[in-house]
Amino acid sequence: GSNLKQYNILAALGIKSQAPNSGGQENEASPPLQKVKETPTPMQLFKQLASKMWKPREALEASATELEGVVEERFDSVKELEKSEGTPSFQVQLKTASEECVRVTFSGAAARVFHRSLGLQRGSRIRIQGFTRFVRDGIQELRLEDVHPGVSVKVLATAAMSQSKEVLQLKDLQAHLAKVKKGEAKAVVTVEAIAKDIGKLEHEELAMQPGEFVSIRTIELHDTDSPAPCLWRLWDSQAEQFGETLLGRRILISNARVREAHGRPELTGCASMSIRSAV
């Protein structure tokens, strides 16, 4: 029975059978048995091939924790990623220092938090963290959907920094908005004003990400020759950084985004802020 079993094993391995030996010494010392190599199973072959074609998701995420580049284009409303109950997604195309083009898609909670970011506009240089990496149509694509402490978009430089150094007063904003609507001016301004009222630091829950919060603060700006105040909305780290220490001080807000809200100018964010003097 043992010799028959050994013969069947050798046959399965493709080794020519030899005459059975009662003592089994020839079979034990036979060179073919020493040279036999284990034949990979189909599943083992598949795993070997797969390991060469792609890396596990964990390896991709660990391969690069941040990316820096210049925004070449911005595309709002990426339809295939839109959700009816949330903020429309958007996409920017970055060019890295190595001339590589990378698409970055913001959806869900990330789209809601970052869609107003001054840095996510054409010509800005940004550094992003907390993304998931994909390759589609031969082009790298990064996606940000959730919001957590590891996700950030840092503005290193904006296109507006080199385009205009004109400092506006609050009274000039209404006329500037009219030019923006006509396409005669950019919606990025540098403004000098007095921080008259500092709103409390609040934490707003993200509609698309229950349990996750973003810091927000509103500062009311005034000036002696301005008939109406102007609200300055701050998000995330800027909301935490700019607080009570600005109360009553004349400040210079560089490269903030201006828009119309309830018929009046309103500022959002900035590239930098400096204190001119105490009032």
Side-chain angles (χ1 to χ4, degrees):
S2 61
N3 288 335
L4 178 60
K5 184 176 181 181
Q6 185 182 40
Y7 173 78
N8 289 339
I9 293 174
L10 293 175
L13 293 172
I15 299 174
K16 293 182 180 180
S17 61
Q18 298 180 358
N21 184 287
S22 58
Q25 294 179 358
E26 280 189 29
N27 289 336
E28 289 178 3
S30 176
L33 281 177
Q34 296 177 357
K35 296 180 181 179
V36 171
K37 295 182 180 180
E38 183 181 353
T39 304
T41 65
M43 181 56 72
Q44 288 173 330
L45 289 172
F46 174 76
K47 289 181 178 179
Q48 290 176 10
L49 180 62
S51 66
K52 295 178 181 179
M53 293 180 63
W54 66 79
K55 296 179 181 179
R57 180 175 177 179
E58 293 80 11
L60 283 175
E61 291 178 345
S63 63
T65 58
E66 64 180 36
L67 182 76
E68 183 178 319
V70 175
V71 178
E72 286 197 316
E73 297 289 344
R74 172 166 173 157
F75 308 94
D76 287 294
S77 300
V78 183
K79 293 183 178 180
E80 63 267 24
L81 294 175
E82 282 186 9
K83 298 178 181 179
S84 57
E85 71 275 12
T87 301
S89 60
F90 66 94
Q91 189 177 81
V92 297
Q93 181 169 301
L94 299 182
K95 177 168 280 190
T96 66
S98 60
E99 298 296 314
E100 181 181 20
C101 290
V102 183
R103 291 184 296 216
V104 185
T105 300
F106 293 78
S107 61
R112 187 173 186 274
V113 171
F114 295 113
H115 80 283
R116 294 181 180 179
S117 173
L118 182 64
L120 295 176
Q121 303 296 330
R122 187 173 183 177
S124 297
R125 177 175 292 279
I126 63 173
R127 181 185 297 132
I128 60 174
Q129 294 178 304
F131 50 78
T132 303
R133 186 186 297 269
F134 295 85
V135 177
R136 185 172 64 173
D137 300 330
I139 299 178
Q140 283 197 65
E141 181 176 324
L142 310 181
R143 293 183 186 174
L144 292 98
E145 184 172 5
D146 300 330
V147 175
H148 53 78
V151 173
S152 70
V153 177
K154 296 182 180 179
V155 183
L156 304 179
T158 66
M161 289 179 182
S162 59
Q163 291 174 353
S164 175
K165 295 184 179 180
E166 180 184 8
V167 178
L168 301 179
Q169 304 299 318
L170 292 186
K171 64 178 182 179
D172 304 323
L173 290 180
Q174 197 72 53
H176 185 85
L177 269 177
K179 291 181 179 180
V180 171
K181 292 178 181 179
K182 296 178 183 179
E184 299 174 356
K186 295 187 176 295
V188 177
V189 294
T190 295
V191 177
E192 185 176 326
I194 299 169
K196 191 73 174 180
D197 184 70
I198 310 295
K200 292 182 178 180
L201 181 65
E202 300 178 2
H203 297 87
E204 182 178 304
E205 186 172 18
L206 300 172
M208 297 294 294
Q209 194 77 9
E212 296 289 345
F213 294 81
V214 62
S215 301
I216 59 174
R217 190 195 299 272
T218 301
I219 295 179
E220 189 173 290
L221 303 173
H222 285 249
D223 212 344
T224 53
D225 55 359
S226 177
C230 174
L231 297 182
W232 181 26
R233 308 281 188 186
L234 298 170
W235 293 73
D236 203 19
S237 59
Q238 289 187 340
E240 298 172 2
Q241 180 182 359
F242 303 147
E244 294 295 332
T245 56
L246 300 183
L247 183 62
R249 293 178 176 269
R250 179 172 290 277
I251 59 177
L252 183 67
I253 304 168
S254 300
N255 303 304
R257 180 158 293 276
V258 62
R259 69 186 187 99
E260 189 174 67
H262 307 294
R264 293 162 55 182
E266 183 177 285
L267 302 178
T268 301
C270 68
S272 63
M273 187 280 303
S274 60
I275 297 176
R276 285 295 182 92
S277 64
V279 177

